[in-house]
Amino acid sequence: MSADLAAMKRIVVKIGSALLVDTRRQTLNRTWLHALGDDLARLRARGQEVIVVSSGAIALGRNVLGLGGGVLQLEESQAAAAVGQVSLAHAYQSVLAERGISAAQVLLTLSDTEQRRRYLNARNTISALLRLGALPVINENDTVATSEIRYGDNDRLAARVAGMVSADCLVLLSDVDGLHTGSPVRNPDAELIADVHAITPEITAVAGDSDTRVGSGGMVSKLEAARIVLGAGCQMVIAKGSVLHPLSRLEEGGLRTWFHTSASPLAARKSWIAGSLEPAGLLTIDAGAVRALKRGKSLLPAGVSAVTGDFARGDAVRVCAAGGAELARGLVAYDCHDAARIIGHKSREIEAILGYRGRDEIIHRDDLVLTG
Ligand code: GLU
């Protein structure tokens, strides 16, 4: 896929605290945020789906609580985040509303992206928000995430989100132009690396050398983000965010580092489903469903004749024809109990049988890969 922002369908944009918050005065950079709002509205008007992952809660809240500029204890930063997140969400809401866009606040913890059921819930909610035209604004749920289970930096959170929603591109807006051959601060000869096609030991080494800061948001965490997204078939770009209209500048050929992958999000997801998951159950399907699957359709409850195994919603299951031959694997949209009750029935009967309105498909075609 080409490294062209205009060609991407689903884009995650990560915004660091240093861009949004004037660190000296600890107030919001309103002019910058308005310019970003213009950029986001332009992408959306072009038909692109946009998700923002924004930091800034702690930076905004610490001033209000009189916590000063020094290093905070964990509970102090959590308290600051609780205060600052309100202002942060409000700032996005008003800037986006002026451009006719509804902002949706989503706060995630590490376990929301690591545990399959929570992961699926978060994925489905974010997909629904995009379908309904809202712009999700995501941050870590700092107030409940304790140190051992924290992301701590939004580079990795943004990368997990990009993988989770099968984004085509992750944009990390940073205070540097991209990855350099050395520290751009200490070494004036350090050159920008415009394109990275593989994360080699040399690239890892220069990221360590070029780091100008410790802790969250450094080049090492950005490379970690690249490892996560490239494996999920998502391209990544690091670009300077501190200019006004940073996304327009990126499109106009501004300095940046693109991290390329030849995979696509759907292909990466399908190989993950086919290869790395231990199936927890088995759905046996009739001849009509076999034909439908081979034509690339989803699996509907009506085509399933038997359910075996003890599985939860979102688990991987095998899909076999009546004779027992494996045909496909997929992530099932119902647990084994509910699946057993709806098989053989039309999708419109699901609500009456289960008492809630689940998905029409027992395995959606995006969650299904033919193996036989
Ligand atoms: N979640 C933190 C905040 O909103 C920021 C984490 C980071 O620095 O990336 O303040």
Side-chain angles (χ1 to χ4, degrees):
M1 192 184 271
S2 71
D4 173 7
L5 195 64
M8 308 291 177
K9 203 176 159 298
R10 187 171 279 187
I11 302 168
V12 176
V13 182
K14 183 260 173 174
I15 293 151
S17 308
L19 305 175
L20 258 181
V21 184
D22 179 328
T23 34
R24 225 168 3 93
R25 288 183 294 152
Q26 290 170 357
T27 54
L28 201 66
N29 277 331
R30 288 196 184 274
T31 314
W32 184 87
L33 185 58
H34 275 275
L36 178 82
D38 292 340
D39 269 357
L40 297 174
R42 199 171 44 78
L43 262 50
R44 295 244 320 190
R46 216 156 56 184
Q48 294 173 290
E49 293 175 327
V50 187
I51 294 164
V52 164
V53 174
S54 182
S55 315
I58 297 172
L60 283 172
R62 60 189 298 155
N63 191 32
V64 179
L65 295 179
L67 289 167
V71 177
L72 300 180
Q73 289 176 342
L74 180 64
E75 62 269 27
E76 286 174 335
S77 51
Q78 291 182 309
V83 171
Q85 183 61 34
V86 182
S87 323
L88 190 63
H90 182 250
Y92 276 103
Q93 184 194 41
S94 68
V95 164
L96 291 172
E98 279 174 30
R99 289 156 182 84
I101 301 169
S102 307
Q105 175 183 258
V106 179
L107 299 178
L108 296 175
T109 56
L110 188 64
S111 53
D112 295 324
T113 58
E114 307 293 303
Q115 288 173 13
R116 177 126 18 98
R117 282 190 62 197
R118 299 175 72 147
Y119 172 101
L120 282 177
N121 270 330
R123 177 183 157 93
N124 289 343
T125 306
I126 295 168
S127 301
L129 286 168
L130 292 172
R131 199 173 57 245
L132 297 168
L135 194 155
V137 178
I138 301 177
N139 196 357
E140 182 161 16
N141 195 348
D142 289 311
T143 49
V144 295
T146 54
S147 57
E148 328 72 79
I149 55 152
R150 270 182 103 210
Y151 275 106
D153 72 79
N154 276 6
D155 292 328
R156 281 195 312 144
L157 172 65
R160 286 276 178 228
V161 167
M164 180 165 83
V165 302
S166 302
D168 304 291
C169 181
L170 168 64
V171 183
L172 297 181
L173 293 180
S174 164
D175 51 0
V176 291
D177 290 327
L179 180 64
H180 291 75
T181 52
S183 161
V185 177
R186 288 190 301 270
N187 175 4
D189 295 333
E191 281 172 28
L192 183 75
I193 304 173
D195 294 280
V196 174
H197 292 277
I199 303 184
T200 58
E202 291 75 27
I203 292 291
T204 311
V206 296
D209 288 347
S210 67
D211 234 345
T212 48
R213 297 187 286 168
V214 268
S216 81
M219 218 27 97
V220 171
S221 75
K222 292 190 172 39
L223 218 56
E224 196 52 45
R227 280 199 187 88
I228 295 169
V229 295
L230 298 181
C234 171
Q235 323 284 323
M236 185 178 111
V237 59
I238 303 175
K240 198 182 192 85
S242 50
V243 292
L244 292 182
H245 301 106
L247 298 173
S248 304
R249 199 182 92 132
L250 173 62
E251 282 185 39
E252 286 155 10
L255 297 176
R256 80 292 183 279
T257 302
W258 273 102
F259 291 78
H260 304 266
T261 169
S262 51
S264 74
L266 193 59
R269 186 170 159 77
K270 292 212 168 189
S271 74
W272 173 71
I273 292 170
S276 64
L277 298 170
E278 190 56 44
L282 167 67
L283 304 183
T284 305
I285 63 173
D286 64 24
V290 171
R291 282 194 298 277
L293 256 49
K294 287 187 172 160
R295 289 204 313 273
K297 303 269 193 234
S298 296
L299 180 61
L300 301 176
V304 182
S305 49
V307 173
T308 7
D310 184 14
F311 53 85
R313 189 166 86 84
D315 278 348
V317 293
R318 296 166 65 224
V319 179
C320 295
E326 180 175 310
L327 195 74
R329 290 185 180 198
L331 305 182
V332 65
Y334 292 90
D335 68 24
C336 52
H337 310 291
D338 288 353
R341 293 169 64 195
I342 60 173
I343 59 169
H345 289 277
K346 297 265 181 248
S347 297
R348 61 175 137 69
E349 296 167 358
I350 294 175
E351 189 173 359
I353 298 169
L354 298 180
Y356 68 91
R357 190 169 154 214
R359 279 201 150 188
D360 285 351
E361 309 85 15
I362 195 160
I363 304 180
H364 189 272
R365 62 182 142 82
D366 286 353
D367 297 332
L368 187 83
V369 46
L370 294 181
T371 50

